Amino acid sequence: MENQTHTLPDIRQTLVFQAPIQKVWNAVATSEGIAAWFMPNDFKPEAGYEFHLEAGPFGKSPCKVTEIDPPNRLAFNWGKDWTLTFELVDLDGKTEFTLVHSGWDADKVTEFGQTHKEVRERMSQGWGSLQKSLATYVES
């Protein structure tokens, strides 16, 4: 039996916010910012920093910052399988924001016993509404 992974496509969503890049960066790369639209956390913007997202009924999710390049790119490991990447592009006073949620594998289950396939469907929709929360936060 050869070792094959059954990779599922990344969730990739791009929106343009009517807000300057620094404001969006502060919303996605500070503890207070992330808490305002996503989840309570003890994030610090430092490569290698280990933190937790408070995932409500799912408890504390361990994370680790893998890449940080202000104000354009932040990536962190989330739980045991996933990586979240936030990519920001300055559009002259507006900001193009791309969220990439990668690490999906059809053969894997989450810590909570759900298949990646089940969770991916839900998360894909969930990110859509989270991005709306983020838009509201940075555009107000």
Side-chain angles (χ1 to χ4, degrees):
M1 220 22 225
E2 54 185 295
N3 187 9
Q4 274 183 302
T5 55
H6 296 93
T7 316
L8 297 165
D10 294 349
I11 295 173
R12 192 178 185 93
Q13 298 180 352
T14 301
L15 287 180
V16 174
F17 297 137
Q18 306 296 317
I21 193 167
Q22 194 59 50
K23 187 171 185 188
V24 179
W25 178 256
N26 291 342
V28 301
T30 65
S31 179
E32 308 76 66
I34 294 167
W37 65 276
F38 188 28
M39 293 181 193
N41 64 86
D42 55 359
F43 171 85
K44 283 198 177 126
E46 295 163 21
Y49 187 77
E50 297 187 12
F51 66 101
H52 287 87
L53 289 171
E54 304 273 351
F58 298 113
K60 284 178 187 265
S61 231
C63 300
K64 182 180 183 174
V65 179
T66 53
E67 200 183 333
I68 184 151
D69 176 19
N72 298 111
R73 192 175 164 90
L74 167 68
F76 58 87
N77 294 339
W78 181 18
K80 63 184 175 61
D81 298 320
W82 294 324
T83 301
L84 278 186
T85 307
F86 301 148
E87 297 167 355
L88 291 73
V89 179
D90 187 351
L91 299 178
D92 205 23
K94 300 197 282 269
T95 306
E96 182 186 88
F97 176 77
T98 301
L99 176 147
V100 184
H101 185 167
S102 57
W104 301 99
D105 182 334
D107 295 334
K108 288 187 176 169
V109 293
T110 66
E111 293 91 321
F112 314 109
Q114 292 166 316
T115 67
H116 275 204
K117 209 172 163 72
E118 289 176 282
V119 178
R120 190 185 173 285
E121 290 303 304
R122 219 173 38 238
M123 287 303 275
S124 186
Q125 291 169 359
W127 282 122
S129 49
L130 276 169
Q131 290 235 60
K132 289 188 186 75
S133 305
L134 177 56
T136 304
Y137 179 64
V138 296
E139 291 176 356
S140 57

